[in-house]
Amino acid sequence: MEAIEELAVQPCTSSLYLRPFRLSYRQNGTKKFWDFMRTHDSVSILIFNTSRQCFVVVKQFRPAVYMCEIERHQPQVFENQDKESFPSLENPLPAVVGVTYELCAGIVDKPGLSLEEIACEEVLEECGYRVSIADLRRITSYRSGVGVTGSRQTLFYAEVNDQMRTSGGGGQPEEGELIEVVEIPLGESMKFAYDETFPKTMGVIFSFMWFHNNIAPKLPKK
């Protein structure tokens, strides 16, 4: 996962996932504009393994996170952003600075499938557990990236056990996915959520808090 080589930054003239636009408008008599991106909505799933009393999350390299760290240490990389060429990354940072812990998730790009069906597919592909729609509990939906994309993410909860695991997960290699499945013990979950040495998404923090408020009090007492 962390064997990142031959890094090169270049302008993005077309994308399967992002479409840049500029909205011009008048608000309270003032003329304004705002640049934004259109992208896919998504689903995410908080997975709790009842056999081992742990959360199942994923760990993967995120180029956007990596490049934020690059810019923080090497701001000159983006100085020529309006030109056709960018300076090469002569001293790239170790790939680990771009690795994050996240909920199992996926984009909504299959018109024939419901959000629940997409969520079930993602749980199987990324984490190796076979769940049904009946196994899902919808927690809520919210907007992410409100200043840039405004896309909607729908969060589900699923309980699994060891017997429901049919593979090691890891995503779809043919699509370039390289995902590591990570288990976070229930007793260590809130410490993990607030430990900044483990880069993570807000979805992880929020969903762990939701679990401790809504599910944990109903668990059998040891």
Side-chain angles (χ1 to χ4, degrees):
M1 178 181 295
E2 297 173 9
I4 306 297
E5 303 173 309
E6 300 180 11
L7 290 87
V9 181
Q10 55 193 359
C12 179
T13 57
S14 64
S15 172
L16 295 174
Y17 308 104
L18 301 174
R19 291 175 292 152
F21 295 95
R22 172 169 293 180
L23 176 68
S24 298
Y25 61 102
R26 187 178 297 276
Q27 184 178 33
N28 290 347
T30 302
K31 187 69 174 178
K32 299 181 178 181
F33 71 87
W34 192 264
D35 299 334
F36 66 97
M37 292 275 191
R38 283 300 302 126
T39 187
H40 294 286
D41 289 340
S42 60
V43 297
S44 59
I45 309 94
L46 171 63
I47 304 172
F48 183 68
N49 185 313
T50 58
S51 298
R52 288 195 297 283
Q53 296 288 290
C54 67
F55 295 106
V56 181
V57 300
V58 296
K59 179 182 175 183
Q60 57 187 316
F61 174 78
R62 290 297 194 181
V65 174
Y66 181 80
M67 291 310 297
C68 281
E69 290 299 308
I70 287 286
E71 184 175 23
R72 192 160 66 90
H73 290 84
Q74 303 175 29
Q76 71 277 8
V77 168
F78 291 98
E79 289 177 355
N80 297 323
Q81 59 185 4
D82 295 326
K83 300 181 180 181
E84 293 184 358
S85 62
F86 288 74
S88 60
L89 299 178
E90 297 180 355
N91 298 297
L93 297 174
V96 68
V97 303
V99 174
T100 60
Y101 294 83
E102 310 168 19
L103 296 179
C104 172
I107 60 175
V108 178
D109 62 348
K110 299 173 182 176
L113 298 182
S114 66
L115 296 180
E116 290 79 5
E117 289 171 325
I118 293 174
C120 290
E121 284 191 353
E122 295 299 334
V123 172
L124 180 60
E125 293 173 3
E126 293 192 357
C127 299
Y129 292 92
R130 187 174 299 280
V131 300
S132 67
I133 291 177
D135 296 319
L136 297 177
R137 172 176 172 178
R138 187 180 188 277
I139 298 177
T140 190
S141 67
Y142 46 84
R143 297 288 180 176
S144 59
V146 293
V148 180
T149 67
S151 59
R152 181 189 297 274
Q153 183 165 89
T154 302
L155 173 62
F156 294 97
Y157 170 65
E159 290 186 355
V160 300
N161 55 51
D162 289 344
Q163 288 68 44
M164 296 167 67
R165 193 167 194 184
T166 61
S167 74
Q172 295 182 302
E174 65 274 15
E175 295 184 3
E177 291 184 323
L178 183 58
I179 296 172
E180 180 181 338
V181 181
V182 179
E183 295 182 346
I184 310 296
L186 175 59
E188 301 174 13
S189 58
M190 293 313 298
K191 179 181 178 181
F192 171 84
Y194 289 104
D195 189 340
E196 295 183 9
T197 62
F198 295 100
K200 66 189 71 67
T201 63
M202 179 55 70
V204 171
I205 300 173
F206 169 77
S207 62
F208 281 13
M209 292 176 63
W210 175 88
F211 182 95
H212 280 274
N213 288 331
N214 294 275
I215 304 299
K218 303 174 185 177
L219 294 176
K221 303 297 182 180
K222 292 186 178 180

